[in-house]
Amino acid sequence: MARRALKIISWTSMALASSGFYLYSNKYLDPNDFGAIRIGRAVATTAVISYDYLTSLRSVPYGSEEYAQLKSKVHRRSAERLRELCCANRGTFIKVGQHLGALDYLLPEEYTSTLKVLHSQAPQSSMQEIQQVIREDLGKEIQDLFQSFEDTPLGAASLAQVHKAVLYDGRTVAVKVQHPKVQAQSSKDILLMEVPRIYWELSTRRVLLMEFVEGGQVNDKAYMEKNQIDVNEISQQLGRMYSEMIFVNGFVHCDPHPGNVLVRKCPGTGKVEIILLDHGLYQILTDKFRLDYCHLWQALIKADMKRVKKYSQRLGAGDLYPLFACMLTARSWDSVNKGIGRAPVTANEDVEIRNNAATYLPQISQLLSKVPRQMLLILKTNDLLRGIETALSARASASSFLSMSRCCTRALAAHKKKKTCSLLRRTQISLEESLSLWQINLHELFLRVRGSWLGNWIFALLYWLSPTPH
């Protein structure tokens, strides 16, 4: 029974250890995070959670209905304690809590539903504190700047909170105000794509006025149903967008928790849009890392295990490359061997992943200590995207892997063309690229009609046409 309880405890340990490692290794920790009070809270919370699991489940028969009900209650109590810890320590702890709240495919529901409130309902600064920041930075009182200013924030996150306001010229704006105790995190913003318009004349290093953009959170299925937005289309667009960032551009928005990703129908055209918020956490990928990662994903999608091993090891995984492949894809080792793009995720596979995640905690920690720092934020981003797919019930689709495969193909072809001045060779590369993209399109067609005689014929044709990797 003690072993069962310890295994359950490892859910919390695994999530906190891995998420904390992402942040620590990339130096995003608040310098005050290691203060005695903050560490004391964290240690005390971990001890209480561990004691609760060990004592509450000790005398109940494992596998019984009573055990399941009691375990759910312990999960809920533990999640609430973690949430209270995050709110008390703020800063980085809230970022970790946001990450955990998005891991629907991995953590028990009691944890994710409890911690999800941190996506947009983190601890708030008081109105007096907000007035002080605006007064210090803009040199005026709120009533002198705005016709109206809503006291209740639209959302509060780890570093700032957002208020809706109206300027005296009638423009509706979103006012993002940094919490008073937060240190400046960077000297400049790096923009990947069009973000909401910024009103620089009324912005400072701690107050940001932006165009007000409405939409629903990317994991809000009810909002999408109400506005007739196809969740599968959103999942596919999100996959394409992040594949472009990672494989083609090498410049990645690394905080896609649901509070930072909105969806809406454009008022003018009715076209579905994805809106990224909070551009404070990006990762710039080196060409070497990006291309090795491209090769690895191509190998994973084609079930080329020799190349999976080769490129996993080039990315620092060493002999733990099977675990690395499972962590990247959120698939079982059996599915990785068969080809992740050839079969959808099943309920049984999800259960297997959850069970193994806790079992392999020591190896996961060892692996995280080996891979490059760039990989840590990519893993965090992958976790958040998988969580969104799960919330949208779109995780069973293999379409996201096909989007990744297309981007990998384009990125590798572009790299090869850069390295040659021969027109003949460039033409050859373009033809190979077109053939590969055509094969991916055929594969996508197969997935749509799988089980029919046409699907089986296409599957056989793909195997026959598949070129030898080089």
Side-chain angles (χ1 to χ4, degrees):
M1 183 59 65
R3 274 188 185 178
R4 297 288 186 188
L6 285 171
K7 185 173 180 180
I8 294 171
I9 292 170
S10 67
W11 283 116
T12 305
S13 304
M14 173 191 62
L16 285 174
S18 61
S19 298
F21 192 92
Y22 293 146
L23 295 164
Y24 174 72
S25 297
N26 285 278
K27 298 182 180 178
Y28 288 107
L29 283 175
D30 182 342
N32 295 319
D33 277 350
F34 292 105
I37 295 177
R38 296 162 71 82
I39 285 185
R41 285 196 193 110
V43 170
T45 300
T46 303
V48 170
I49 289 173
S50 300
Y51 182 78
D52 195 0
Y53 276 114
L54 286 170
T55 57
S56 299
L57 302 173
R58 181 181 297 164
S59 59
V60 184
Y62 178 78
S64 65
E65 183 177 346
E66 182 183 2
Y67 182 90
Q69 292 175 350
L70 186 56
K71 182 179 71 172
S72 177
K73 290 179 181 178
V74 179
H75 280 338
R76 184 74 63 185
R77 288 199 298 267
S78 301
E80 289 170 353
R81 289 171 180 136
L82 282 178
R83 183 185 62 199
E84 290 169 5
L85 171 65
C86 293
C87 291
N89 278 4
R90 300 199 176 195
T92 299
F93 281 81
I94 289 180
K95 284 205 170 292
V96 171
Q98 289 172 339
H99 180 55
L100 301 183
L103 300 183
D104 298 86
Y105 75 96
L106 183 61
L107 297 180
E109 184 275 336
E110 293 86 352
Y111 277 89
T112 56
S113 62
T114 301
L115 295 170
K116 274 179 180 176
V117 298
L118 297 175
H119 291 153
S120 58
Q121 298 177 34
Q124 302 174 6
S125 294
S126 68
M127 197 56 204
Q128 289 75 17
E129 291 173 318
I130 295 301
Q131 289 172 336
Q132 179 183 346
V133 171
I134 290 177
R135 185 185 305 119
E136 290 175 355
D137 280 43
L138 296 178
K140 294 182 179 180
E141 299 295 331
I142 283 180
Q143 60 267 26
D144 297 328
L145 293 166
F146 305 101
Q147 179 179 320
S148 66
F149 189 98
E150 295 186 2
D151 290 357
T152 303
L154 296 170
S158 55
L159 304 180
Q161 63 191 50
V162 179
H163 293 258
K164 185 177 181 180
V166 179
L167 297 171
Y168 279 104
D169 63 9
R171 287 177 293 175
T172 300
V173 295
V175 186
K176 187 169 186 177
V177 184
Q178 192 180 98
H179 295 309
K181 297 180 181 179
V182 173
Q183 297 287 328
Q185 298 294 307
S186 61
S187 60
K188 59 181 179 180
D189 290 324
I190 303 174
L191 302 179
L192 173 67
M193 58 183 72
E194 184 180 357
V195 296
R197 182 180 175 188
I198 297 173
Y199 300 107
W200 293 111
E201 72 276 11
L202 291 173
S203 297
T204 70
R205 65 187 181 91
R206 294 191 298 170
V207 181
L208 186 62
L209 264 68
M210 300 169 286
E211 170 191 4
F212 186 80
V213 181
E214 293 191 83
Q217 286 193 176
V218 71
N219 62 345
D220 189 345
K221 289 182 68 177
Y223 172 87
M224 295 189 203
E225 289 172 2
K226 180 181 178 181
N227 291 275
Q228 298 181 326
I229 296 174
D230 185 350
V231 295
N232 291 313
E233 181 185 353
I234 291 297
S235 179
Q236 290 168 11
Q237 281 195 27
L238 198 63
R240 281 196 297 270
M241 184 167 68
Y242 273 88
S243 294
E244 288 277 346
M245 290 188 209
I246 293 170
F247 300 113
V248 180
N249 299 310
F251 190 54
V252 191
H253 177 277
C254 287
D255 203 14
H257 67 72
N260 280 345
V261 186
L262 303 182
V263 296
R264 70 168 184 174
K265 280 192 174 179
C266 183
T269 64
K271 183 180 178 182
V272 174
E273 293 181 330
I274 294 179
I275 302 163
L276 287 183
L277 306 177
D278 197 349
H279 297 270
L281 187 59
Y282 273 80
Q283 176 69 62
I284 300 174
L285 308 181
T286 65
D287 281 346
K288 180 183 182 303
F289 176 92
R290 182 174 60 85
L291 295 170
D292 282 345
Y293 197 51
C294 280
H295 282 297
L296 174 56
W297 270 103
Q298 279 199 327
L300 286 166
I301 291 167
K302 294 181 179 180
D304 184 344
M305 303 316 297
K306 183 177 179 181
R307 284 161 63 83
V308 167
K309 179 178 180 181
K310 173 184 175 181
Y311 287 103
S312 293
Q313 291 180 335
R314 286 183 62 155
L315 289 167
D319 293 335
L320 294 173
Y321 72 91
L323 177 61
F324 185 53
C326 293
M327 288 173 63
L328 281 178
T329 60
R331 301 295 298 269
S332 67
W333 181 239
D334 185 54
S335 292
V336 171
N337 274 280
K338 291 177 180 176
I340 55 174
R342 292 172 183 165
V345 181
T346 63
N348 288 338
E349 185 178 358
D350 265 340
V351 171
E352 180 184 349
I353 292 168
R354 288 173 183 264
N355 290 336
N356 287 340
T359 303
Y360 289 102
L361 174 61
Q363 291 88 343
I364 291 173
S365 298
Q366 182 184 350
L367 180 60
L368 291 175
S369 69
K370 289 183 173 183
V371 296
R373 290 182 175 180
Q374 297 174 87
M375 180 57 71
L376 297 173
L377 280 180
I378 294 296
L379 286 169
K380 175 178 181 284
T381 301
N382 283 351
D383 282 344
L384 293 170
L385 292 174
R386 299 289 173 265
I388 291 171
E389 288 176 353
T390 300
L392 296 180
S393 302
R395 186 162 139 70
S397 171
S399 61
S400 61
F401 293 128
L402 297 177
S403 294
M404 296 171 80
S405 187
R406 288 187 180 96
C407 287
C408 288
T409 297
R410 288 169 44 213
L412 292 172
H415 176 69
K416 290 176 184 176
K417 289 176 185 176
K418 271 188 187 178
K419 291 180 13 179
T420 182
C421 296
S422 167
L423 179 59
L424 179 61
R425 176 59 183 148
R426 290 171 67 87
T427 302
Q428 182 185 3
I429 293 169
S430 295
L431 289 173
E432 290 173 353
E433 178 185 7
S434 298
L435 176 60
S436 294
L437 293 173
W438 178 73
Q439 287 178 298
I440 294 169
N441 292 337
L442 272 181
H443 195 160
E444 187 169 39
L445 177 60
F446 157 71
L447 289 175
R448 290 176 180 173
V449 298
R450 62 177 176 266
S452 67
W453 68 269
L454 177 60
N456 293 330
W457 179 82
I458 293 173
F459 185 64
L461 179 63
L462 285 173
Y463 262 99
W464 181 72
L465 289 174
S466 182
T468 302
H470 43 189

